[in-house]
Amino acid sequence: MQSFEQVLELDKVLALAAAYTSNETSRQMMLSCRPSHDLAEVRQEVQKTDDALQLALQFGTPPFSGFKNICSRVTRASSGARLSLRDLLDVADLLRQAQALHQWYGHCSEVGTSLDYLFSLIVPDDALLATLERSIVSEEEIADAASSTLAEIRRKLTRSRAHLRETLDQMVRSKSMQKYLQESTVTLRDGRFVLPVKTEFRGQVNGLIHDTSSSGQTIFIEPMQIVEANNDIRLLESREVEEIDRIMQKLCAEVGAQAPLLCRLHDVSAELNYYFAKANYGAALRASKPEISDDGVLDLRKARHPLLDQKKAVPIDLALGEAHNALIVTGPNTGGKTVALKTAGLLTAMTMCGFLIPVADGSRISVFRHILADIGDSQSIEQNLSTFSSHTLNVVEILETADDSTLILLDELGSGTDPVEGAALAIAIIDHLKALGAKLMVTTHYQELKLYAADTPDVINASCEFDTDAMKPTYRLIIGSPGKSNAFAISGQLGVPASILKAAEALISEENRHFENVISRYDEARRALEQERETAQKLREEAEKLHAEWKEKQSAMAAEEKDVMERAAAQASRIVEAAKAQTNALLDELEQLRRDKEKADFAERVSAMKGDSTQRLRDMYKNANPVIGSLDDNGDYVLPRPLRKGDRVLIADLNQEAVISEEPGQSDFAFVQMGIMKMKIQISRLRLLEKKKAQPDPKKQRRKGAVSSKVERKGSMELDIRGHACDEGVYEMERFIDGAVMSGIGTVTIIHGKGTGLLRKAIQQRLKSMKQVKSYRSGVYGEGEDGVTIVTLR
């Protein structure tokens, strides 16, 4: 009997997941993964995979490389063994991997996951990595930077070789030497520079013979002039080899000293790659974490077989182990019965392996001690076994193994023999397995099993739906409804003559025909109920959408009301401060009048003062009641002309002046600039403020000039310095605060705008050192936020 992993094709799932790993160790961990029967372990493994998925979704998948398993090699190095440059480069790759994981996790906020303990074991050795990167160029070359001695030797070698090459080039270019040479080139023999000399001139060139060409026409002579230089080069090369050997011994010793750390980094990095590979495979399946228990309950919602195309796979709902312990699945061939069996078994096995599974939220999976399956045609020619015999042998093994923590999947139970005997045998097997406490899913075409499921309390029918109009299966699993095989309909579609089908229908017993008719009527009633349920669902969704829109509008209205209240509070504060300024101005003028009461024009000035005071009080009252004031025109106001960009207007219901910032065009709305705020507002709410040239009385101006200037200075509560340079803005702010202090104003607003923030920083830095300033703060929502600074004066 095949193992359930092979029958359910768990090995194919593991191979797909292994494709998401980056190194061989993690890949082998994935391929060797097997279902665990321990509930706590399964929950822990699934949680790790889910945490890896959440981290990957939030911060991206960690950078994993194809690092090698260096544990055996560094262990040998710890015992004094010599490693190759390739080995040291693999160690450097592992150290870079650890460094990358450490840096990636450092960017993650403190979320507290089940993977924290693994990341805590990643302690990079930056010093060793820097040494290896500095010392090794490739698996064939040590870098000059490996040691100062090696760098000096190689510099000397370069100079010596260049000098020797120059000497040889001069010899080759000389006319006296060229006639002796076979070629005008310099070559190497036994690591020494030589000249190719014609054989007949061997006595003309003084030097050491190192080699002869294969033809015998050329001999390679080392001229005596360069023998000493060649000796020096050979000596330097020998020193270079010794220094490289010393460097390699040192590097191997350093790596060997860190062998335990390196082995731990490899194991932890591979394990993290294993969990993130599971997570990425789960993301590809659009998988989620089910609720996991060991009570034998399966409740799969919108489950999809992981080996099918996830865009085309039809989700199924499946429940087992709670209201019923056995599920009898019927329906036509190729209708999806076997896929439903494999889906239940494979998703259970995947969960027990620590995977996320392609199901909807709210699904439940149970951990079983055994998953036993007999699926497919297992006939064997070599063992002389028929289909029925092979199925029976598998069932015998299942009967011997099954207990109360077993999920059993049986495909076409009792098939391959006489239908009456096969159905009776199938019912007896199901009863026996139920008595053991096992949970079963069985597919069948037998009418007897459909009737058995309808009459037995803890057994339920399920069917794979078949669309008789389209003459093809829908692959939906319908719980509680037996299915029809639809053999006649399918045969007719495949070309069986109608006369044969009619004759076959006549041979069916009246009882079976009546049962099939009952199933057909039941299916029709079920479809009608499903349509009504879909309609009700759509209506409910529309109602929920309307309710959500209403809640959103209610929240928006509450936010708008809060904003209006904040603006009203800010306006009230400004009115109070304006009233204080106006009062101070009036008191100053009264004091001035008291001092001037003996002058001749005293009566005239008192009269003018009364009129001016009355007008100011009227303006203050209007400011204190902006809404009432806005109703004076009773909605009959008509703009004297179309608004233009730059016009000053009054927002009637707010009693605030503003400037038209854009040409209104034909729209009923206009964009206005009010201080630092820009807003879109209905034109019907605006009143045009025409510019009127004042005709001041020269005598009155002379008489009241000093007082009016003082009042204007004292009544100002806002200073707009947007666009100013820092020094200029600070200077204007100092003058403004001096005037405000003299006027007795308690709070002023400095409008500096947001911009780059330099002007705001300069203003607030100066405010810290001003004795007149009690405190200051940035504006809040409705006041201009960071574009203004609110200053409280002493």
Side-chain angles (χ1 to χ4, degrees), residues 397-675:
E397 289 189 38
I398 290 172
L399 292 172
E400 292 174 349
T401 308
D403 58 18
D404 60 350
S405 181
T406 304
L407 174 63
I408 299 175
L409 309 171
L410 299 173
D411 190 23
E412 301 293 350
L413 180 61
S415 63
T417 187
D418 178 77
V420 176
E421 294 181 355
L425 182 61
I427 291 172
I429 291 171
I430 294 172
D431 281 338
H432 177 77
L433 293 173
K434 284 200 302 99
L436 294 175
K439 308 298 182 290
L440 297 93
M441 282 186 66
V442 179
T443 67
T444 186
H445 287 284
Y446 291 152
Q447 299 281 25
E448 291 83 355
L449 265 68
K450 301 177 188 178
L451 292 170
Y452 165 77
D455 294 338
T456 307
D458 61 343
V459 182
I460 191 170
N461 274 304
S463 62
C464 291
E465 189 179 52
F466 186 83
D467 188 344
T468 54
D469 296 330
M471 297 303 295
K472 62 180 182 180
T474 66
Y475 302 107
R476 291 178 59 210
L477 185 67
I478 310 299
I479 302 295
S481 169
K484 296 174 60 179
S485 296
N486 291 291
F488 293 157
I490 295 174
S491 299
Q493 187 186 31
L494 295 176
V496 176
S499 58
I500 295 178
L501 296 176
K502 188 174 181 180
E505 289 177 357
L507 296 175
I508 298 177
S509 67
E510 184 63 29
E511 181 180 349
N512 285 340
R513 188 181 295 111
H514 177 70
F515 183 74
E516 291 290 333
N517 291 335
V518 169
I519 293 177
S520 297
R521 289 196 298 272
Y522 179 84
D523 280 344
E524 292 175 1
R526 178 184 55 77
R527 291 194 184 96
L529 287 173
E530 284 186 351
Q531 289 180 349
E532 291 181 5
R533 185 178 66 179
E534 290 177 1
T535 302
Q537 177 69 13
K538 289 180 180 178
L539 292 174
R540 186 174 69 83
E541 290 175 355
E542 290 178 3
E544 289 178 350
K545 182 179 179 182
L546 291 173
H547 179 70
E549 290 177 355
W550 176 79
K551 292 286 287 184
E552 185 177 351
K553 289 180 179 178
Q554 189 180 40
S555 299
M557 290 176 63
E560 184 177 356
E561 180 181 357
K562 181 180 178 182
D563 182 51
V564 170
M565 292 297 292
E566 288 177 350
R567 286 192 281 112
Q571 184 177 356
S573 177
R574 290 195 296 271
I575 291 172
V576 170
E577 295 297 332
K580 286 175 62 178
Q582 295 281 4
T583 302
N584 290 333
L586 290 172
L587 291 174
D588 287 344
E589 292 190 10
L590 288 173
E591 178 63 22
Q592 184 66 32
L593 286 173
R594 185 184 64 79
R595 290 196 295 267
D596 297 344
K597 66 181 179 178
E598 301 300 332
K599 293 184 179 181
D601 58 351
F602 178 72
E604 182 182 351
R605 294 181 64 185
V606 169
S607 177
M609 184 67 183
K610 285 182 179 180
D612 192 25
S613 299
T614 301
Q615 181 60 40
R616 290 184 186 180
L617 289 171
R618 189 178 297 115
D619 291 343
M620 290 170 62
Y621 180 76
K622 185 176 180 180
N623 285 334
N625 298 275
V627 178
I628 295 174
S630 68
L631 300 177
D632 290 345
D633 55 29
N634 296 319
D636 297 330
Y637 178 81
V638 178
L639 288 169
R641 62 173 174 78
L643 295 175
R644 295 190 292 269
K645 182 178 179 181
D647 284 343
R648 294 194 65 80
V649 294
L650 177 71
I651 304 175
D653 51 351
L654 298 179
N655 197 36
Q656 292 288 327
E657 291 189 13
V659 177
I660 302 295
S661 60
E662 297 181 14
E663 292 291 344
Q666 302 298 320
S667 172
D668 293 333
F669 291 85
F671 286 93
V672 299
Q673 186 82 30
M674 187 169 58

Side-chain angles (χ1 to χ4, degrees), residues 2 374-381 385-387 389-391 394:
Q2 289 182 309
D374 177 37
I375 299 174
D377 187 358
S378 304
Q379 65 178 336
S380 172
I381 296 176
L385 294 176
S386 66
T387 299
S389 299
S390 61
H391 278 300
N394 291 339

Side-chain angles (χ1 to χ4, degrees), residues 110-174:
E110 296 181 2
V111 291
T113 70
S114 58
L115 298 175
D116 286 350
Y117 82 97
L118 286 175
F119 280 106
S120 68
L121 297 174
I122 299 288
V123 183
D125 191 336
D126 295 336
L128 180 57
L129 176 59
T131 299
L132 292 174
E133 289 181 333
R134 183 179 66 249
S135 302
I136 304 174
V137 176
S138 68
E139 56 184 288
E140 297 175 351
E141 182 181 358
I142 289 287
D144 293 354
S147 76
S148 58
T149 302
L150 180 62
E152 181 62 25
I153 291 172
R154 286 181 172 175
R155 279 195 295 271
K156 290 180 178 179
L157 266 173
T158 301
R159 288 196 299 268
S160 298
R161 285 168 178 161
H163 179 69
L164 180 59
R165 174 74 70 170
E166 184 179 352
T167 302
L168 286 169
D169 287 344
Q170 290 176 354
M171 295 178 66
V172 168
R173 288 195 300 267
S174 67

Side-chain angles (χ1 to χ4, degrees), residues 55-56 59-63 99-108 119 276:
L55 285 172
F59 304 104
T61 302
Q99 188 180 70
L101 288 174
H102 182 73
Q103 291 174 351
W104 179 88
Y105 193 65
H107 296 324
C108 300
F119 280 106
F276 277 97

